[in-house]
Amino acid sequence: MKPKPMITTLKSLVVDLLLWSLFLTGLAAGVVAGTVLDGTEKTVTTFAGVALSLVTGLRLAKKPRIKAFLSTRPVLWFLFLFNAGAAVVSGLTADGAKGVAAASAMGLVALGAAHGLVTGRHNTIDEPPVPGTASSGR
């Protein structure tokens, strides 16, 4: 196998840094907008930050190393238990549409993790995924 050219490695590094910085910027905008802004600006900034972090987060999750990490059994168990607990707590404590939205979102993540656990589409930490098998996610 030939080593990658330096320009390809540099391009990959720049793209990764850009994706991570946009992801963190979207998270910060979604969280901080309520303390800094009021009214329509707060709503627009919050939704734009959530959309930015969602789009870049999905791109980051498709990277092979992150995808392999997210499909390990301990991570799936953590995602299932944490998000199921958060869904129950937010459903019981938050009122109105915000409580329903938070409980629904956390419940969907918990169901996705449970699906990964039940179907066996997970990797052990010691073994890399084998291309062409059910555990490789293809």
Side-chain angles (χ1 to χ4, degrees):
M1 181 149 101
K2 293 190 319 187
K4 289 188 201 176
M6 183 66 145
I7 191 74
T8 305
T9 305
L10 185 61
K11 181 182 172 185
S12 177
L13 177 67
V14 169
V15 168
D16 285 347
L17 286 173
L18 182 64
L19 279 174
W20 279 104
S21 63
L22 287 173
F23 177 69
L24 293 174
T25 301
L27 285 179
V31 171
V32 176
T35 60
V36 177
L37 302 170
D38 289 324
T40 305
E41 294 87 9
K42 175 178 126 178
T43 304
V44 169
T45 304
T46 300
F47 284 127
V50 167
L52 181 63
S53 63
L54 182 64
V55 168
T56 55
L58 289 172
R59 292 282 311 255
L60 286 169
K62 290 180 182 178
K63 299 254 180 213
R65 293 170 112 183
I66 295 175
K67 192 174 186 177
F69 171 72
L70 289 175
S71 63
T72 60
R73 187 176 271 292
V75 172
L76 288 172
W77 272 109
F78 171 77
L79 287 172
F80 171 68
L81 294 173
F82 178 82
N83 286 292
V88 169
V89 169
S90 65
L92 294 174
T93 59
D95 292 331
K98 287 184 180 181
V100 171
S104 299
M106 294 292 190
L108 283 174
V109 174
L111 286 175
H115 180 265
L117 286 168
V118 170
T119 60
R121 291 188 178 185
H122 54 79
N123 301 322
T124 61
I125 295 175
D126 300 325
E127 301 175 25
V130 177
T133 63
S135 64
S136 68
R138 290 185 184 193

